[in-house]
Amino acid sequence: IEIAIAMASLLLPRNERHFGDLLAVSTLIFLLVCYLGVVFFPQLSVHQYADLLEPQLAGAWRGPLLHKNVAGAAMAISVFIGLYVAKTRNLLIGGLIVALSVIFLAFTLSKTCIVLLPLILAMSEGFIAIHGSRWRLVLMFGGLFLINLATLGSVLFVPVQNLLEGIMADPSYTNRDDIWRFAFDQLAKNPWIGAGFQAFWRTNEVIYSGSNIETWANQASDGHNDYLDVALTTGIPGLLLTIMWLVVSPVEDIHRGSASGDDPALTKLFVRIWLFSVIRACLESSFFTGGNPCWFMMLVSIFGLRLQGSLVLISEASTQNRPAKIVGDVTVRD
């Protein structure tokens, strides 16, 4: 249902101008709700010491969302939307969205999103400037490999762990290494079909197996790495299919879109959201999770890139001598 809604949301706006207006209004409403929650309902919008699962997060803003890391991701995406609105619709409104989002992001204390925001802004410029899907794939897979080597690799390879201990203040990534080590141990038991879709974390078999598992990681809500989580629940085939859909296909769509004369500002918005989601997945989990704004906006960006890329099909068809027909406001050829 959520995937269908993400697809349909791109078909409702009349044009790019209408799409920008809808983004601006909805994002401002979301930010207003976030700030009103912090001011008038801090016990619900700010992590408290009374939180049973993670009392150490006390003071971190989360607004109407469940966790400060989810709120941080939502604010980073709001920054991308604000930049798009500022460029295409209204500079003041876009600037206001960016300012409100950056301030809230700082108070979420989400280190991953705070570090990724400037990185993605810079990376998206280079990613779009590169010509050819082959080099984009090299950049994407090279980046994902290095990040996962520096994260998951810390529990698999002793040299990587030693290197991180020498250059990082917290080489455990706030105790994520225990979760990754536990997840790899479980993945080794069933690598080809996995435990079942969303059938591992928070299940009775895992939570109440403390007598058999000497680690606190069985109490985790997720694996804090989407690629590991997908492999753990749907097996290696599921991981490969996910990578084909969420990583490889968008690169091909970007290439087709640039060849067909797509809207550069709109493409940049979708690329930023997509890159942020794909890279953030190395430290957080949101793939295939209902109600997660990062996952929903990732879907929107992927389908947006596909629609942008599909313009080349219309362009190529229009150059051939075939009967034309009208579909909506677009002329295509059978």
Side-chain angles (χ1 to χ4, degrees):
I1 293 174
E2 191 162 9
I3 290 174
I5 293 173
M7 288 189 292
S9 65
L10 289 167
L11 303 178
L12 295 176
R14 293 186 296 270
N15 48 43
E16 289 89 344
R17 181 185 182 90
H18 188 207
F19 180 65
D21 292 341
L22 292 176
L23 279 180
V25 171
S26 59
T27 305
L28 284 173
I29 292 174
F30 168 69
L31 291 170
L32 178 63
V33 171
C34 290
Y35 277 96
L36 288 178
V38 170
V39 174
F40 295 104
F41 304 99
Q43 71 278 10
L44 300 176
S45 302
V46 180
H47 284 285
Q48 306 292 319
Y49 285 108
D51 293 347
L52 296 179
L53 294 178
E54 296 178 296
Q56 69 275 15
L57 301 182
W61 291 10
R62 59 185 175 92
L65 302 170
L66 294 177
H67 197 275
K68 58 107 174 177
N69 288 336
V70 180
M75 291 303 148
I77 292 174
S78 295
V79 170
F80 303 146
I81 293 174
L83 294 173
Y84 172 75
V85 172
K87 184 174 181 61
T88 61
R89 298 299 297 118
N90 187 286
L91 180 61
L92 292 179
I93 294 177
L96 177 62
I97 293 174
V98 172
L100 292 175
S101 301
V102 168
I103 293 172
F104 202 99
L105 173 59
F107 281 98
T108 64
L109 306 179
S110 178
K111 296 185 289 294
T112 300
C113 297
I114 292 173
V115 172
L116 278 183
L117 179 59
L119 174 65
I120 296 302
L121 290 175
M123 186 175 177
S124 62
E125 297 292 338
F127 198 84
I128 294 174
I130 293 176
H131 296 289
S133 59
R134 180 180 302 177
W135 290 110
R136 290 192 177 104
L137 284 173
V138 170
L139 176 62
M140 174 55 67
F141 280 106
L144 289 177
F145 173 78
L146 291 176
I147 295 173
N148 279 298
L149 179 63
T151 53
L152 299 181
S154 64
V155 303
L156 295 175
F157 308 110
V158 175
V160 174
Q161 182 180 1
N162 294 336
L163 176 63
L164 294 178
E165 289 175 351
I167 62 177
M168 292 181 61
D170 182 17
S172 71
Y173 296 94
T174 59
N175 295 325
R176 285 177 172 87
D177 58 345
D178 289 334
I179 299 176
W180 296 334
R181 193 173 291 107
F182 170 67
F184 274 118
D185 290 340
Q186 301 304 306
L187 175 62
K189 298 177 181 179
N190 203 350
W192 295 108
I193 61 174
F197 180 66
Q198 293 188 349
F200 183 78
W201 300 108
R202 290 294 175 185
T203 59
N204 292 336
E205 291 79 2
V206 175
I207 292 179
Y208 299 112
S209 60
S211 59
N212 300 322
I213 302 175
E214 297 180 358
T215 177
W216 67 272
N218 63 315
Q219 304 294 319
S221 59
D222 56 68
H224 287 281
N225 184 292
D226 269 313
Y227 306 101
L228 180 57
D229 265 353
V230 170
L232 185 63
T233 56
T234 63
I236 294 176
L239 174 62
L240 295 177
L241 289 172
T242 299
I243 291 174
M244 288 297 297
W245 177 35
L246 300 182
V247 179
V248 177
S249 290
V251 174
E252 297 297 327
D253 292 331
I254 293 170
H255 176 67
R256 284 195 295 265
S258 61
S260 67
D262 57 2
D263 182 344
L266 193 58
T267 296
K268 184 175 292 186
L269 170 65
F270 292 145
V271 168
R272 284 171 172 170
I273 296 174
W274 168 69
L275 280 176
F276 174 80
S277 303
V278 168
I279 294 177
R280 176 180 175 269
C282 298
L283 286 164
E284 302 292 346
S285 293
S286 62
F287 290 177
F288 307 106
T289 55
N292 189 298
C294 186
W295 168 242
F296 180 80
M297 290 306 296
M298 182 183 187
L299 290 173
V300 171
S301 66
I302 289 175
F303 292 134
L305 291 172
R306 172 55 58 90
L307 289 175
Q308 291 274 78
S310 67
L311 293 177
V312 71
L313 302 179
I314 299 176
S315 176
E316 291 175 350
S318 64
T319 62
Q320 301 179 21
N321 296 323
R322 289 180 290 178
K325 64 179 180 179
I326 302 297
V327 180
D329 295 329
V330 180
T331 300
V332 298
R333 300 187 181 270
D334 293 324

